[in-house]
Amino acid sequence: MLIERILGTLFAAAAILTFWSATATAQVAVNVTSAPAIHAGEFVVPINKSELIQVDRPFKELLVGNPEIADVLALTNQTIYILGRTLGSTNLTIYGENRELMAVLDIVVSFDVAGLKQKLYEVMPEESVQVRTVNGTVLVTGPVSTAARAAEVMEIAQRYAPDSVTNSLTVEGSQQVLLQVRFAEVNRTAVRELGIGNLLNIGGDDFNFNLLTTGALPLATPGLPFGTAVTTVSGGAFDLVSTFRALERRGLARILAEPNLVALSGDTAFFLAGGEFPIPVAQDVDTITVEFKQFGIGLGFTPTVIGKDLINLEVAPEVSRIDPSISVPVGGGLNPISVPGLSVRRAKTTIELRDGQSFAIAGLLQSDFLNQIDGLPWLSDIPILGLLFSSRGYQQNETELVIIVTPRLVQPAPSPDDLMVPTDTVILPTDGEFFLLGRTEGKPDEGSVVPTAAPEEAVGSAGGLSGQYGYIIK
């Protein structure tokens, strides 16, 4: 008995030292009665942390089912110290005087859920995150404002319960992004030519001599170009053909493309509105295969919603068209194959924008100037008279391109009636309207139903491609 008392005292002293060195300690009161085999419920202890149980009346003996799961020590005859060692569950039996069974308590050692709750509240107090244990794992539930917040919650939870966290978080707000891209390009061209071309024929029975000065267009071209006058002087054995050309040309080209695409946050979307053209590719000797090259309006982007309305975009817009002026001949012989080239406007970048904001991600201002003087040697250098033997011209091209992107957080339409397609307002003409009146579109009847999504100006109009999603042709 004396040895047992000494060992009990040392054991209690060690428990007190362990108690003061534990990272967290709580005290819980347990009510027990004298009724036999009383189940006192479940008591949860965080792993590697300690808890205190206060019993309402003195006890004499404690018995733990599995000491490997929890250490159980008696500090006083009414205070019990419990230290969680490994994940799992066991039970604690409390005895009173004369081995009287006072209570049986289930002890569950789990992850530090309370510490996780406190840390989440410190880091993000505005989020309503709930944490609970489920069969040895940690369940994280509740709404969060963004997907980035959800990832942050999961990363913190993994620190407390590695590989044992179940994610049941819901992200508030829209996670679908509509990207609007505008390609706006203006091409200006100015050409001016002024000159005189002469063709002199001196001939006989066995002699011909030609003297030629001309501008950009050959004189032998059938049909005289605009701004060209021709005079002919003939006499005897010679003919003199003089061409006077004065030309000024200005051109303006406007290109506008507006591709729109919707994608889920974190996913990559791509579309192409155009086509493909074949390209011959030599494989072996006398073997040619055909590959297809895409062209048209293309858009690829990856949106990521990183804030309440902040969007990170990896965007790659492109506009291309077939340009025969940069074609390349392939193959020899009398009939080589001409492979056309592509005129491409392409950009690829990563930006961050808020819902509805716009950004010019690319801009190109290009100016080309070319002047040229054609003339006969020595004769074209003669003052004043040299103008009769020379031709002058210049050409200037200016190209301006801007690419603007606008992301928007969108929600699906509650009903298909709220959406509109380009064919909703198109009415086919009757035979009388088409053949007699020359109309390509018919007029709606008085009792016809106009789609609810149609704009007000389309109601009662004579058809037409008119809508609120961009397909407006007037």
Side-chain angles (χ1 to χ4, degrees):
M1 291 294 295
L2 179 59
I3 296 176
E4 293 179 356
R5 290 181 181 179
I6 294 173
L7 292 176
T9 303
L10 295 175
F11 203 60
I16 293 173
L17 292 176
T18 305
F19 162 73
W20 288 113
S21 63
T23 57
T25 305
Q27 183 171 335
V28 180
V30 176
N31 296 324
V32 298
T33 64
S34 58
I38 297 300
H39 188 270
E42 184 179 86
F43 186 68
V44 180
V45 181
I47 188 172
N48 297 325
K49 291 191 176 183
S50 61
E51 298 284 354
L52 290 179
I53 296 179
Q54 189 71 32
V55 184
D56 58 351
R57 60 191 180 92
F59 59 85
K60 288 294 184 179
E61 187 178 356
L62 300 176
L63 181 62
V64 61
N66 188 353
E68 298 296 330
I69 294 179
D71 284 335
V72 179
L73 303 174
L75 300 181
T76 67
N77 60 354
Q78 288 186 261
T79 305
I80 303 173
Y81 171 82
I82 301 177
L83 175 65
R85 299 185 61 183
T86 59
L87 297 175
S89 62
T90 184
N91 53 23
L92 173 64
T93 306
I94 304 174
Y95 293 96
E97 293 287 347
N98 301 322
R99 300 283 297 181
E100 177 190 0
L101 180 61
M102 296 174 56
V104 177
L105 181 65
D106 292 334
I107 298 177
V108 178
V109 179
S110 65
F111 296 104
D112 188 7
V113 176
L116 176 57
K117 289 181 180 179
Q118 181 179 0
K119 183 58 65 176
L120 290 176
Y121 181 77
E122 291 177 359
V123 175
M124 49 189 78
E126 71 281 359
E127 305 292 350
S128 301
V129 181
Q130 301 176 5
V131 183
R132 59 176 60 90
T133 58
V134 177
N135 195 22
T137 62
V138 175
L139 177 63
V140 182
T141 61
V144 291
S145 57
T146 64
R149 280 297 195 183
E152 187 175 356
V153 169
M154 290 300 299
E155 185 175 355
I156 295 175
Q158 290 290 344
R159 300 293 182 179
Y160 285 81
D163 301 326
S164 299
V165 182
T166 302
N167 184 6
S168 294
L169 297 172
T170 58
V171 180
E172 295 180 330
S174 175
Q175 295 298 301
Q176 297 179 110
V177 181
L178 168 67
L179 185 64
Q180 298 175 330
V181 180
R182 299 185 65 191
F183 292 84
E185 182 179 5
V186 175
N187 192 342
R188 304 178 183 89
T189 303
V191 179
R192 181 175 294 176
E193 296 181 11
L194 177 64
I196 296 178
N198 297 310
L199 179 62
L200 178 62
N201 296 321
I202 301 176
D205 295 337
D206 55 0
F207 179 77
N208 286 296
F209 176 77
N210 293 326
L211 176 64
L212 175 65
T213 63
T214 182
L217 295 177
L219 296 177
T221 303
L224 295 178
F226 179 79
T228 302
V230 178
T231 59
T232 302
V233 178
S234 299
F238 74 93
D239 294 325
L240 176 62
V241 181
S242 297
T243 302
F244 173 78
R245 185 179 184 192
L247 174 64
E248 182 175 2
R249 180 171 60 239
R250 297 180 182 273
L252 175 64
R254 173 180 178 269
I255 300 175
L256 178 64
E258 297 187 19
N260 297 334
L261 190 60
V262 179
L264 192 64
S265 176
D267 289 345
T268 300
F270 178 81
F271 89 98
L272 175 69
E276 296 182 346
F277 65 95
I279 297 178
V281 178
Q283 298 293 335
D284 299 325
V285 180
D286 298 332
T287 302
I288 296 178
T289 61
V290 176
E291 295 182 359
F292 288 87
K293 180 69 175 178
Q294 295 180 346
F295 70 94
I297 301 173
L299 175 61
F301 82 111
T302 304
T304 303
V305 181
I306 59 177
K308 185 175 182 180
D309 58 350
L310 185 62
I311 306 169
N312 178 280
L313 287 176
E314 296 181 8
V315 58
E318 176 181 324
V319 171
S320 59
R321 62 182 178 85
I322 297 178
D323 190 354
S325 63
I326 54 176
S327 60
V328 177
V330 177
L334 299 177
N335 297 315
I337 301 174
S338 179
V339 179
L342 287 178
S343 176
V344 182
R345 299 290 186 267
R346 180 187 296 127
K348 184 177 182 180
T349 185
T350 302
I351 58 176
E352 288 186 0
L353 295 173
R354 295 195 178 275
D355 181 18
Q357 290 183 336
S358 299
F359 210 105
I361 65 170
L364 171 65
L365 181 60
Q366 181 178 351
S367 179
D368 299 329
F369 179 79
L370 172 66
N371 58 10
Q372 182 177 351
I373 298 178
D374 297 329
L376 291 177
W378 303 296
L379 294 179
S380 61
D381 297 332
I382 300 175
I384 302 177
L385 294 178
L387 297 176
L388 300 176
F389 302 95
S390 64
S391 177
R392 292 169 171 82
Y394 79 86
Q395 180 175 353
Q396 183 176 5
N397 295 327
E398 292 182 353
T399 301
E400 184 174 0
L401 169 69
V402 176
I403 302 177
I404 301 175
V405 297
T406 304
R408 299 185 185 276
L409 295 174
V410 295
Q411 295 283 359
S415 172
D417 296 335
D418 297 333
L419 299 177
M420 194 174 177
V421 295
T423 58
D424 285 344
T425 57
V426 176
I427 301 176
L428 298 179
T430 62
D431 292 343
E433 290 174 333
F434 180 74
F435 290 104
L436 297 180
L437 302 180
R439 294 176 179 173
T440 57
E441 298 181 43
K443 287 187 175 181
D445 299 332
E446 295 182 357
S448 61
V449 178
V450 180
T452 57
E456 295 181 357
E457 59 268 18
V459 178
S461 63
L465 293 179
S466 180
Q468 57 185 3
Y469 301 114
Y471 45 90
I472 300 176
I473 299 178
K474 295 183 179 179

